[in-house]
Amino acid sequence: MGSGQETLKDVWTIFDGLPLLYRTNAEPPPDGARTIIHIHGFAISGRYLLPTAALLATEYAIFVPDLPGFGRSHHPPHPLSIDQLGDAVVRFMDQLGIERAVLLGNSLGCPIIASMLDEHIDRMEAVVWVSPAGGRYNLPIYRGVAQMVLAGLREPLGMVPIAAVDYARYGLIPSINLLWSMLHYPTVRRLQELVVPTLAVIGSRDPLISEALVAKRAVELPHVTAAVIDGAAHAINFSHPDQLANVVRCFLEGRPITADPSAKGGVRVFETPREP
């Protein structure tokens, strides 16, 4: 696994009166570099996103926050809803003087980005959804919970200590409430409402996502590109960082998305059917 995490550093700031941790480039990014904000998943910190974020840090301005109440960032008086987390991302951008950015979310990070569509789409230069969670494919809730458990069993063992510490910090009751909100979120419908350049990346072994459904929806939308990384499950940013970073680079640079032969996992792209 590519790491390169020496390209990032921890920074603490005060956000809504409480300490908040984010990671950013250890060295200044190239002049004119585009900004990517990585948004973490359910009840976990941004720590598992670092393998991919670090690989992109030599070319882009990178920010990987632990949103309020997650990871090492301090807890607000009440856990934030998905809509409130989206608002927190916008205010985080305001605080750091980021006018527009590429938003790269994993799992719950995708509904968080989707919650920004109605009022803040002007802040999105492009969107990358990795393993978007939520919607009818994850319901009823017992099905979604079983899918999450199976997804966890398919992740590398290195995810275990990260998830265990972060889930314990977030808390049991807040996790249950957030899980309900995430699994009921209409993620696929909101994908259809995106009008900025959008990349959806899923893993071929992710039980939380229907490859057929994503393929069908993606090819109907001219601004959406969808790709599958073979062998990956849900936390692609951690398990397949080299291939994911390659796919993101191809997308942002406007190049055809092809697999990096030196990286783990093949790549398949869903393409819009051509008229005969």
Side-chain angles (χ1 to χ4, degrees):
M1 175 189 302
S3 62
Q5 294 184 34
E6 67 278 358
T7 61
L8 299 173
K9 64 181 179 182
D10 289 357
V11 178
W12 286 92
T13 189
I14 299 299
F15 185 85
D16 288 345
L18 296 171
L20 180 141
L21 173 68
Y22 67 94
R23 299 92 176 166
T24 190
N25 305 66
E27 300 294 335
D31 291 341
R34 300 164 81 176
T35 297
I36 303 179
I37 300 176
H38 298 250
I39 303 175
H40 57 71
F42 168 77
I44 200 168
S45 70
R47 191 159 46 132
Y48 78 104
L49 305 177
L50 297 184
T52 296
L55 291 171
L56 295 168
T58 56
E59 302 147 87
Y60 302 94
I62 296 294
F63 296 89
V64 189
D66 287 357
L67 294 175
F70 294 81
R72 292 160 64 194
S73 292
H74 287 213
H75 290 247
H78 303 285
L80 302 186
S81 67
I82 290 175
D83 287 345
Q84 290 171 328
L85 289 167
D87 179 67
V89 172
V90 175
R91 291 186 294 108
F92 174 78
M93 294 172 67
D94 291 341
Q95 184 163 318
L96 296 183
I98 301 169
E99 184 62 31
R100 298 178 75 228
V102 176
L103 300 180
L104 195 164
N106 171 255
S107 191
L108 175 69
C110 302
I112 290 172
I113 294 170
S115 75
M116 300 164 58
L117 290 177
D118 296 331
E119 296 183 14
H120 303 292
I121 198 164
D122 59 313
R123 309 299 295 272
M124 304 178 188
E125 181 180 344
V127 167
V128 180
W129 276 6
V130 181
S131 308
R136 286 184 295 175
Y137 189 72
N138 302 140
L139 297 175
I141 195 164
Y142 64 79
R143 180 183 186 186
V145 171
Q147 291 167 337
M148 289 188 66
V149 171
L150 181 57
L153 294 173
R154 293 178 177 179
E155 300 297 349
L157 289 177
M159 273 290 294
V160 173
I162 296 174
V165 170
D166 289 345
Y167 288 178
R169 282 176 172 155
Y170 191 68
L172 178 60
I173 299 303
S175 294
I176 293 172
N177 294 333
L178 185 62
L179 175 64
W180 191 95
S181 298
M182 180 183 75
L183 295 180
H184 284 82
Y185 197 88
T187 304
V188 173
R189 177 176 64 78
R190 301 239 67 180
L191 174 67
Q192 296 172 274
E193 298 170 4
L194 280 161
V195 294
V196 297
T198 301
L199 170 67
V201 184
I202 62 176
S204 66
R205 300 181 69 240
D206 187 350
L208 281 152
I209 299 168
S210 165
E211 182 175 323
L213 179 60
V214 171
K216 180 178 185 300
R217 291 291 182 261
V219 299
E220 294 172 348
L221 303 169
H223 55 277
V224 176
T225 301
V228 181
I229 296 182
D230 289 319
H234 198 64
I236 303 174
N237 313 58
F238 185 84
S239 64
H240 291 67
D242 301 87
Q243 199 63 271
L244 178 58
N246 162 65
V247 169
V248 170
R249 285 191 200 98
C250 290
F251 169 70
L252 293 180
E253 294 170 9
R255 296 187 281 115
I257 294 175
T258 58
D260 177 351
S262 66
K264 180 171 63 172
V267 174
R268 291 177 283 123
V269 179
F270 302 128
E271 297 182 349
T272 304
R274 300 181 185 273
E275 294 294 331

